[in-house]
């Protein structure tokens, strides 16, 4: 299982699954796969297509893991004080605002402004995967800064999904879900000794009930995973997230990437592509790089003068390039933003994949350059720093 927890493996599986989905969708078996993706399973209380079972159901497990790690960072990690959080928070805020503004500028007047959240997300699995592949010898503080920024980025993405992709929610069902979530959190604090297994089974049932209530209320069902992860007691929460991580990395996220990338490449000239395509393609790699680098530079002035050079400008630009790897959450945003238009949704998926690919290549070059420079400037400390474990992260 340890190999599936690896950042390199997680990134490789995601990339491979997306490439396979895009390839197969444009072969003779593409229509059959698309038909399977739209086939409905279930009935009665829940009747979803296979694709929606993946994006609304399985992906809630991934968001549970994200929430557990977010809670850890807020309580005991790199975001547990205002002094620690303010620098990455400014970088994260600019890293959301700049790509959103670029997208809105490119799509102005097209009626496609709902897609502005798509280029604002960062896929931490890919970002850390690139670091793991190319970043031998990088100072650990750069990884810590990237982790803190990505955790805040995930928080913003969760809020965007909850606020901007929810219409006419059923408040009664949301209230019932809140009660169940509180019960789930209280039970998690009793998980020890002989009560562990019976309470664990009961908590699984409560988690499923929470998911259904949130789904049926009209709020995106992945928010159920977020709520459960945030209320669960820290120790059992991290144990549970650790147990679920191989399933998330090895099955859930690759399955989602494969399903989301099942897109038939449109037979149109570049001039016929929608403004949403160009907005995402430009805003994701360029907007995230400029926004995070600018925000990181501005945020450095909140640190004591002696610490302002801890992350050089090239380091901030490198983190910005890594932030442009949108992938998982960007693909989910794309599905939600353009749910009513299959054509624009397909073009949005292609733009996310291409924009992320540009960021992967650029980030790989920058990480390699920065790591090589760091090894040259600080040769006595390289072995010690390379042994430092990167902070535990959710693969998003």
């Amino acid at each position: 299982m340890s190999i599936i927890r690896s950042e390199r493996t997680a990134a490789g599986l995601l990339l491979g699954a997306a490439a396979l989905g895009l390839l197969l969708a444009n072969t003779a078996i593409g229509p059959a796969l698309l038909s399977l993706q739209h086939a409905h399973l279930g009935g009665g209380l829940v009747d979803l297509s296979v694709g929606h079972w993946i994006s609304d159901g399985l992906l809630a497990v991934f968001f549970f893991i994200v929430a557990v790690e977010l809670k850890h960072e807020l309580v005991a990690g790199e975001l547990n004080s205002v002094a620690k959080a303010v620098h990455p928070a400014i970088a994260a805020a600019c890293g959301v605002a700049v790509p959103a503004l670029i997208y809105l500028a490119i799509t102005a007047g097209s009626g496609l402004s709902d897609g502005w959240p798509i280029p604002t997300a960062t896929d931490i699995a890919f970002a850390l995967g690139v670091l793991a592949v190319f970043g031998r010898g990088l100072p650990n503080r750069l990884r810590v800064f990237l982790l803190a920024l990505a955790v805040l980025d995930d928080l913003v993405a969760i809020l965007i999904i909850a606020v901007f992709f929810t219409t006419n929610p059923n408040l009664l069902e949301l209230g019932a879900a809140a009660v169940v979530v509180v019960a789930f959190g209280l039970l998690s604090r009793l998980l020890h000794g002989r009560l562990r297994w019976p309470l664990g089974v009961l908590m699984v049932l409560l988690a499923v009930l929470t998911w259904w209530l949130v789904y049926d209320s009209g709020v995106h069902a992945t928010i159920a995973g977020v709520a459960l992860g945030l209320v669960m007691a820290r120790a059992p929460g991290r144990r549970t997230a650790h147990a679920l991580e191989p399933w998330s990395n090895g099955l859930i996220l690759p399955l989602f990437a494969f399903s989301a990338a099942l897109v038939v490449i449109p037979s149109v000239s570049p001039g016929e592509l929608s403004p949403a395509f160009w907005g995402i393609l430009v805003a994701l790699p360029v907007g995230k790089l400029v926004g995070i680098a600018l925000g990181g530079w501005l945020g450095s002035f909140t640190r004591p003068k002696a610490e302002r050079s801890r992350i050089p400008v090239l380091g901030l630009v490198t983190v910005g390039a890594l932030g442009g790897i949108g992938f998982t959450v960007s693909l989910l945003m794309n599905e939600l933003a353009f749910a009513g238009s299959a054509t624009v949704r397909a073009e949005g998926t292609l733009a996310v994949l291409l924009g992320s690919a540009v960021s992967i290549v650029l980030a790989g070059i920058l990480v390699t350059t920065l790591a090589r420079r760091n090894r040259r400037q600080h040769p006595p400390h390289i072995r010690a720093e390379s042994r430092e474990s990167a902070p535990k992260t959710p693969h998003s």
Side-chain angles (χ1 to χ4, degrees):
M1 284 293 188
S2 59
I3 190 172
I4 303 180
R5 299 182 195 277
S6 161
E7 293 155 359
R8 298 185 187 189
T9 302
L13 288 174
L14 274 174
L15 184 60
L20 183 62
L22 187 62
L23 175 66
L24 293 181
N26 292 275
T27 64
I29 66 171
L33 289 173
L34 289 169
S35 178
L36 176 61
Q37 183 189 44
H38 292 104
H40 276 246
L41 293 176
L45 293 176
V46 182
D47 183 18
L48 295 174
S49 67
V50 171
H52 279 118
W53 272 116
I54 295 170
S55 62
D56 291 25
L58 291 180
L59 211 58
V61 175
F62 159 71
F63 274 94
F64 170 84
I65 297 172
V66 168
V68 169
E69 296 299 333
L70 171 60
K71 180 177 181 178
H72 172 74
E73 293 303 321
L74 291 172
V75 174
E78 291 303 315
L79 302 172
N80 68 342
S81 70
V82 174
K84 287 183 179 180
V86 67
H87 186 191
I90 293 173
C94 292
V96 169
V98 173
L101 290 173
I102 290 176
Y103 176 89
L104 290 172
I106 293 175
T107 61
S110 67
L112 298 170
S113 60
D114 287 350
W116 68 265
I118 299 169
T120 65
T122 294
D123 191 313
I124 189 59
F126 260 121
L128 290 177
V130 172
L131 274 184
V133 173
F134 299 104
R136 183 179 64 84
L138 277 179
N140 198 48
R141 59 181 175 270
L142 193 70
R143 299 171 187 267
V144 171
F145 182 76
L146 174 62
L147 170 62
L149 182 143
V151 167
L152 290 167
D153 194 281
D154 283 337
L155 177 59
V156 172
I158 290 164
L159 293 174
I160 288 174
I161 292 171
V163 174
F164 293 97
F165 295 119
T166 298
T167 56
N168 301 319
N170 186 316
L171 298 181
L172 184 62
E173 287 184 320
L174 278 180
V179 172
V180 178
V181 166
V182 170
F184 178 92
L186 292 174
L187 289 177
S188 71
R189 285 150 177 79
L190 303 175
L191 273 178
H192 53 77
R194 295 181 180 179
L195 294 174
R196 186 173 178 179
W197 282 106
L199 284 182
V201 172
L202 179 57
M203 288 176 64
V204 170
L205 295 176
L206 291 178
V208 173
L209 178 59
T210 302
W211 179 88
W212 179 81
L213 287 168
V214 173
Y215 161 77
D216 205 53
S217 74
V219 176
H220 197 267
T222 53
I223 298 301
V226 175
L228 294 169
L230 289 176
V231 302
M232 194 170 186
R234 282 176 55 206
R238 287 179 68 78
R239 285 197 301 269
T240 304
H242 183 77
L244 291 173
E245 188 181 49
W247 295 97
S248 179
N249 290 353
L251 178 64
I252 294 172
L253 291 180
L255 196 57
F256 172 73
F258 178 84
S259 176
L262 280 176
V263 172
V264 178
I265 299 175
S267 301
V268 297
S269 66
E272 295 176 295
L273 291 166
S274 73
F277 173 87
W278 297 109
I280 297 167
L281 182 60
V282 174
L284 192 55
V286 176
K288 292 296 280 189
L289 187 152
V290 172
I292 290 173
L294 177 62
W297 177 74
L298 292 173
S300 67
F301 290 98
T302 65
R303 290 182 173 275
K305 193 170 183 178
E307 296 182 10
R308 289 178 188 172
S309 62
R310 280 174 57 83
I311 302 178
V313 173
L314 180 59
L316 294 174
V317 172
T318 301
V319 173
L322 290 165
I325 307 172
F327 217 77
T328 307
V329 182
S330 287
L331 289 173
L332 177 60
M333 298 279 201
N334 181 66
E335 286 194 2
L336 297 174
F338 301 131
S341 175
T343 300
V344 178
R345 188 168 66 249
E347 292 183 11
T349 297
L350 291 176
V352 169
L353 296 177
L354 289 173
S356 295
V358 170
S359 293
I360 290 170
V361 173
L362 180 58
I365 294 171
L366 289 172
V367 169
T368 300
T369 301
L370 190 61
R372 189 173 296 160
R373 175 183 294 183
N374 191 70
R375 290 196 299 270
R376 188 168 57 246
Q377 292 178 346
H378 307 287
H381 307 294
I382 295 309
R383 185 167 298 178
E385 284 205 5
S386 65
R387 285 198 193 116
E388 290 182 23
S389 298
K392 191 62 184 169
T393 61
H395 291 316
S396 61

